[in-house]
């Protein structure tokens, strides 16, 4: 079987670790499961993985589900401003109706979830800290995806589109002055050399992205019960591994930014609520317009305590 | 057959004009994007998508024209050293090989286009492009490319064109 | 079947298909599909269309047609002639001054175009007839232009750097900067060799008493001013926060077209079409190979051939410089048969992990790889530049052109050795301007 992901292989990236862990567990169980891991988008480009997965050409993958939002519009809910808020709440969200609906959508499209994983992120800026909507006015902003772009745009930012391998360059020369992404990417993009301030997740994060460990339903159905159980158990183990490690990944990023003299801030409740008001008018409204049960999904997520 | 060949050549030429136009428009749009962002400091959302997909389309649609004008590079060591008869057979084989690829790709890209059309796929970028539009360039371009290959094959078989375009004069 | 057996089969069949004379793009595509079906079954074809499309679905590739257009616009105007005439007025007293001027013009032109054929054709069209008219030996007249043309991909902007940057996720801006000093050095090496050989053969381009007046010298300067303006404009766009490298290409292309239209008064639609036609033909050719090479790369990775090869090389535990030597010989041999863009696309993903594992700087290696590809451009049997020059001077036998290029091939090999001994020549400028990030 083939597993693929877009993250660097063998260098301690937690997402690579998760996939490798499942491959190891499957082999150790001695049920004739051999998983070959292709890291670093060496087999499929990141955005190709979804189609390959549902067609059964790829058996296992871990990727930002939002990448498939062009195929399954509801997946936009997994990269939506303010829906998750914190790692603790992410765990409660995993048990909610919202995630039951997302899992059902994934399964209907032809994949099953082995591990749930929410990755926190934030914003960096070359100008100052991004705390309130006013802070992005006129800022040249590179957004991680359409839903966030709608919110930044609504708050007065100028949206620029730049390929991810040119972000550092764009920051250095000033083609872009602000961007949002996961804490892991903030570290690998080395933006601490260019940024003035990082807005980290804390207890009021706007930015969370769902990157599940998925398996092709076609491949899964070909396995016998014993093999299926092994994979499900391995997935649970990988999820637990990630949950224990998530915050230390973020701390490594925060440390790197602080070491380079970058200010690191988190949002207060009041600031968070200001953003939610903007998101309601922009990202949430657009989503509800695009997706038949979009409003229901957002309400379900927001209602989680 | 002569009329068919003429018609295909005309279509290939039109494809060339279309691809050239897409490239020219892309240059203008890139400059517009830089201006809008650097001078006006406003949103630039659709431009990168537009330019990217235009150039993908230019590649596929422009391909028959480039084939007609012998612009696709090949390794011509072997043809150069072969005698006229063997060279003709080699030209036939390599043409059939390339044609087989084109026909297969028409089928595969056609199916892919149909999926995008039926399931209303959108790009995962901010502009949310309906993907059947850029995807359509593949079956169309490769389809015309196949027709152009039929013409090339006809010209080779009837001796209207020397194998690999290697006539008396050295090729450029 | 083990990956190594599969690998041998794939290698042999690939060479056979490439040698059959089928277009490289369609040959690679056909091979990929055939091997996918043979080794993985018909079901595996489901990903082919998507892989083919996604090979091109990358904004960074936009710079390729743009940099080609820069070359086409300048190349179809008398700008190349102006450039080397101006240089000749300043350099005519050197032995071989005209050759030196041509090489200088190639270097300046290289800073405006990303592709070698464009560079070779633009300067060669004016330079070669002029040199031969003044009695320069054919091998030097043609060989120097073949070699000078290759600078197009070493001196930024450069299509091979863009392809390398995309394939290995290395910063393209950094690669561009890394090419500057080696590019200038290689130009100087070419010039030194030319000075030497011309001096040895006792040849002068002008009569001993021939003089350009200072007035004539200074009158020539405005003619190269537009070049300088465009180069500065593109550099400012690139490093001044106006545009990303991909976008700067578009700005540069627009500036070159404007130059052709405003200064050289190319109003006629036929001439516009000539620029666009050349741009379309070369870009479509390169981009089609890219799409096919991505498919080919998918096939290799999917059959686990790339990884097997990389592992095999890693397991040999050879000295890293021996490894570097082997890689260069391997690339040179590839360069005998396959055009540079295709080699880059096929080998960069395989070689990159090996290079990283052996502790070499990927940016530095991008420069080495590019110089190696330059050799392939003027090396028989498939030297693209040789054929371009041959079409400019059809009465010079191809073998004579090839002999003329040999000394320049040696210059390039020397440059590779110099870069291996002093990697800083490539890495200093990007490190200095962009900070050390590795
Ligand atoms: Na160049
Ligand atoms: Na060659």
């Amino acid at each position: 079987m083939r597993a693929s992901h877009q993250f660097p292989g063998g260098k301690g990236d937690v997402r690579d670790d998760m996939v490798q862990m499942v491959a190891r567990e499957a082999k150790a169980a001695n049920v004739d499961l051999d998983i070959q891991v292709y890291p670093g988008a060496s087999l499929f480009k990141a955005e190709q993985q979804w189609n390959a997965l549902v067609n059964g050409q790829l058996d296992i993958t871990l990727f930002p589900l939002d990448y498939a939002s062009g195929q399954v519009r509801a997946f936009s809910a997994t990269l939506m401003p303010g829906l998750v808020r914190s790692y603790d709440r992410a765990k409660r969200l995993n048990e909610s109706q919202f995630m039951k609906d997302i899992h059902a959508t994934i399964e209907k499209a032809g994949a099953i979830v082995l591990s749930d994983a929410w990755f926190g992120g934030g914003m960096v800026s070359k100008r100052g800290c991004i705390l309130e909507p006013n802070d992005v006015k006129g800022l040249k902003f590179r957004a991680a995806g359409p839903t966030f772009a709608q919110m930044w745009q609504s708050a007065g930012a100028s949206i620029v589109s730049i390929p991810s391998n040119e972000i550092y360059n764009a920051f250095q020369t000033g083609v872009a002055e602000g961007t949002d992404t996961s804490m892991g990417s903030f570290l690998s993009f080395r933006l601490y050399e260019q940024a003035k301030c990082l807005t980290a997740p804390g207890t009021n994060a706007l930015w969370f992205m769902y990157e599940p460990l998925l398996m092709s339903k076609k491949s899964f159905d070909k396995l016998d019960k014993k093999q299926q159980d092994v994979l499900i158990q391995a997935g649970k183990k990988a999820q637990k591994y990630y949950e224990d490690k998530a915050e230390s990944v973020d701390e490594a990023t925060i440390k790197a930014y602080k070491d380079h003299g970058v200010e690191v801030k988190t949002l207060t409740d009041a600031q968070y609520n200001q953003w939610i008001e903007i998101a309601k008018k922009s990202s949430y409204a657009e989503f509800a317009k695009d997706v038949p049960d979009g409003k229901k999904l957002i309400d379900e997520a927001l209602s989680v305590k | 057959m002569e009329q068919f060949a003429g018609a295909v050549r005309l279509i290939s030429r039109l494809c060339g004009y279309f691809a050239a136009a897409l490239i020219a428009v892309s240059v203008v749009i890139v400059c517009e994007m830089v201006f809008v962002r650097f001078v006006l400091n406003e949103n630039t959302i659709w431009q990168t998508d537009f330019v990217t997909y235009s150039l993908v389309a230019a590649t596929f649609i422009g391909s028959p024209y480039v084939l007609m004008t012998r612009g696709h590079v090949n390794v011509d060591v072997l043809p150069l050293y072969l005698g006229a008869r063997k060279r003709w057979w080699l030209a036939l084989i390599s043409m059939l090989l390339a044609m087989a690829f084109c026909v297969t790709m028409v089928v595969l890209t056609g199916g892919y286009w149909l999926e995008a059309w039926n399931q209303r796929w959108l790009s995962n970028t901010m502009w949310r492009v309906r993907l059947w539009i850029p995807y359509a360039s593949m079956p169309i371009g490769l389809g015309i490319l196949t027709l152009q290959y039929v013409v090339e094959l006809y010209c080779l078989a009837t001796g209207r064109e020397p194998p690999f375009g290697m006539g008396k004069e050295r090729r450029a | 079947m083990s990956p190594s057996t599969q690998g041998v089969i794939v290698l042999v069949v690939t060479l056979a298909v490439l040698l059959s004379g089928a277009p490289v793009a369609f040959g690679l595509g056909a091979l990929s599909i055939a091997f996918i079906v043979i080794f993985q079954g018909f079901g595996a074809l489901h990903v082919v269309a998507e892989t083919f499309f996604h090979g091109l679905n990358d904004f960074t590739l936009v710079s390729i047609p743009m940099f080609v257009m820069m070359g086409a616009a300048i190349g179809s105007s008398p700008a190349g002639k102006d450039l080397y005439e101006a240089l000749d007025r300043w350099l005519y007293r050197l032995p071989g001054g005209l050759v030196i001027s041509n090489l200088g013009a190639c270097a300046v032109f290289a800073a405006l175009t990303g592709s070698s054929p464009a560079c070779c054709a633009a300067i060669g069209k004016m330079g070669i007839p002029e040199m031969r008219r003044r009695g320069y030996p054919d091998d030097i007249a043609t060989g120097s232009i073949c070699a000078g043309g290759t600078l197009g991909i070493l001196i930024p902007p450069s299509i091979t750097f863009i392809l390398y940057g995309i394939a290995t996720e290395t910063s393209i801006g950094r690669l561009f900067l890394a090419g500057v000093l080696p590019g200038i050095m290689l130009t100087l090496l070419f010039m030194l060799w030319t000075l030497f050989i011309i001096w040895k053969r006792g040849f002068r381009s002008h009569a001993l008493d021939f003089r350009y007046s200072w007035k004539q010298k200074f009158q020539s300067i405005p003619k190269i001013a537009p070049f300088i303006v465009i180069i500065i404009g593109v550099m400012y766009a690139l490093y001044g926060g106006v545009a990303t490298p991909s976008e700067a290409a578009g700005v540069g292309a627009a500036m070159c077209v404007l130059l052709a239209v405003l200064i050289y008064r190319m109003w006629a639609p036929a001439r516009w079409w000539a620029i666009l036609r050349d741009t379309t033909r070369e870009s479509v050719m390169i981009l089609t190979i890219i799409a096919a090479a991505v498919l080919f790369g998918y096939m290799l990775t999917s059959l686990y051939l790339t990884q097997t090869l990389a592992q095999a090389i890693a397991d040999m535990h050879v000295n890293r410089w021996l490894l570097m030597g082997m890689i260069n010989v391997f690339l040179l041999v590839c360069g005998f048969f396959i055009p540079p863009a295709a080699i880059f696309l096929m080998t960069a993903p395989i070689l990159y992990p090996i290079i990283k594992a052996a502790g070499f700087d990927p940016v530095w290696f991008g420069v080495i790889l590019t110089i190696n590809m330059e050799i392939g451009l003027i090396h028989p049997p498939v030297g693209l530049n040789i054929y371009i020059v041959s079409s400019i001077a059809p009465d010079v036998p191809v073998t004579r052109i090839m002999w003329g290029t040999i000394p320049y091939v040696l210059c390039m090999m020397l440059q590779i050795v110099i870069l291996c001994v002093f990697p800083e020549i490539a890495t200093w400028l990007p490190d200095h301007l962009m900070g050390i990030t590795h």
Side-chain angles (χ1 to χ4, degrees), chain C residues 331-401:
Chain C
L331 290 169
L332 271 180
V333 174
C334 289
F336 285 6
F337 306 104
I338 311 170
I343 298 181
F344 247 81
L345 288 159
M346 288 192 289
T347 61
I350 304 175
L351 293 177
Y352 181 73
I354 300 174
I355 291 301
K356 276 292 274 275
F360 290 106
D361 179 347
V363 171
W364 169 85
F365 182 66
V367 177
I368 298 284
L369 194 52
T370 297
I371 300 177
N372 203 307
M373 294 301 102
E374 288 185 73
I375 298 178
L377 280 170
I378 60 172
H379 197 292
V382 193
L384 199 52
N385 282 13
I386 293 178
Y387 295 127
I388 287 168
V389 164
S390 160
S391 71
I392 297 169
D395 54 320
V396 181
V398 176
T399 43
R400 196 158 161 75
I401 303 179

Side-chain angles (χ1 to χ4, degrees), chain B residues 40-157:
Chain B
L40 307 179
N41 199 16
E42 282 172 13
N43 295 305
T44 49
I45 290 173
W46 59 276
Q47 288 92 338
T48 40
D49 278 2
F50 180 88
V51 170
T52 310
Y53 291 128
S54 292
L55 289 173
V56 179
T59 306
F60 292 116
I61 307 249
S63 220
Y65 173 75
V66 175
L67 176 68
M68 186 172 73
T69 57
R70 304 204 167 278
H72 284 299
V73 205
N74 62 345
V75 180
D76 55 3
V77 203
L78 194 56
L80 271 176
Y81 286 97
L82 287 182
R85 196 158 174 75
K86 282 186 185 149
R87 187 189 284 175
W88 188 90
W89 279 104
L90 190 66
L92 183 72
I93 293 169
S94 66
M95 260 185 203
L96 288 173
L97 181 83
M99 230 177 110
F101 169 72
C102 295
V103 173
T104 316
M105 284 310 283
V106 171
V107 176
L108 293 175
T109 56
Y112 187 52
W113 174 84
L114 200 66
E115 261 185 284
W117 169 268
N118 282 336
Q119 302 178 26
R120 295 163 200 281
W121 287 350
L122 304 176
S123 69
N124 62 3
T125 57
M126 276 175 279
W127 202 29
R128 292 292 186 199
V129 180
R130 279 162 293 176
L131 284 176
W132 66 265
I133 302 172
Y135 286 179
S137 67
M138 288 196 288
I140 293 174
L142 292 160
I144 299 169
L145 185 64
T146 311
L147 294 179
Q148 182 63 41
Y149 256 119
V150 172
V151 172
E152 301 281 323
L153 213 57
Y154 166 70
C155 290
L156 179 76

Side-chain angles (χ1 to χ4, degrees), chain C residues 307-318 323 326 353-354 357-358:
Chain C
Q307 302 88 323
T308 310
L309 177 69
Q311 195 55 50
I313 292 177
D315 288 345
M316 289 192 308
H317 295 295
V318 294
L323 179 72
M326 279 161 44
I354 300 174

Side-chain angles (χ1 to χ4, degrees), chain C residues 9-253:
Chain C
I9 296 176
V10 170
L11 182 72
V12 171
V13 179
T14 303
L15 279 179
V17 167
L18 287 178
L19 284 175
S20 78
V24 173
F26 307 143
L28 282 180
L31 284 164
S32 316
I33 292 185
F35 286 124
I36 288 173
V37 171
I38 292 169
F39 293 124
Q40 298 187 324
F42 281 98
L45 285 180
H46 214 119
V47 293
V48 167
E50 187 169 34
T51 308
F52 204 58
F53 185 87
H54 272 284
L56 296 179
N57 186 16
D58 184 340
F59 181 72
T60 326
L61 287 173
V62 165
S63 43
I64 289 177
M66 309 284 152
F67 283 137
V68 171
M69 184 182 274
M70 285 169 85
I74 301 289
S76 61
S77 73
K81 181 162 169 273
D82 282 359
L83 179 63
Y84 101 84
E85 255 181 27
L87 287 172
D88 184 48
R89 288 192 186 181
W90 290 86
L91 301 171
Y92 72 104
R93 305 209 47 193
L94 284 170
L98 204 55
V99 187
I100 305 285
S101 316
N102 269 299
L103 286 169
C106 283
V108 175
F109 193 80
L112 287 179
T113 181
S115 85
S116 285
C119 195
C120 198
I123 305 302
K125 258 184 246 165
M126 336 292 161
I128 293 176
E130 189 69 20
M131 282 190 279
R132 296 179 72 206
R133 202 161 52 85
R134 304 237 186 120
Y136 278 87
D138 286 345
D139 57 338
I140 295 180
T142 54
S144 63
I145 292 288
C146 280
T150 67
L151 294 169
I153 55 171
L154 181 60
I155 296 177
S158 153
I159 286 174
T160 50
F161 282 153
I162 295 169
L163 295 178
Y164 182 81
I166 294 171
T168 63
E169 290 187 7
T170 308
S171 156
I172 292 167
R174 189 171 275 276
L175 284 164
F176 277 6
L177 285 173
V180 174
L181 291 180
I184 294 171
M185 260 189 86
L186 191 54
T187 314
L188 292 177
L189 274 180
F190 287 168
M191 288 177 171
L192 274 176
W193 162 257
T194 310
L195 271 178
F196 169 76
I197 189 69
I198 295 277
W199 168 78
K200 211 175 143 226
R201 294 199 195 172
F203 187 83
R204 295 194 69 86
S205 44
H206 297 273
L208 264 183
D209 54 346
F210 181 86
R211 288 268 136 107
Y212 279 120
S213 67
W214 283 104
K215 193 176 163 211
Q216 282 172 311
K217 282 185 182 175
F218 280 104
Q219 268 174 346
S220 70
I221 289 182
K223 291 200 165 178
I224 55 170
F227 283 92
I228 308 298
V229 170
I230 292 178
I231 292 172
I232 292 174
V234 172
M235 291 291 162
Y236 175 67
L238 257 177
Y239 302 106
V242 182
T244 63
S246 340
E247 297 161 8
V251 176

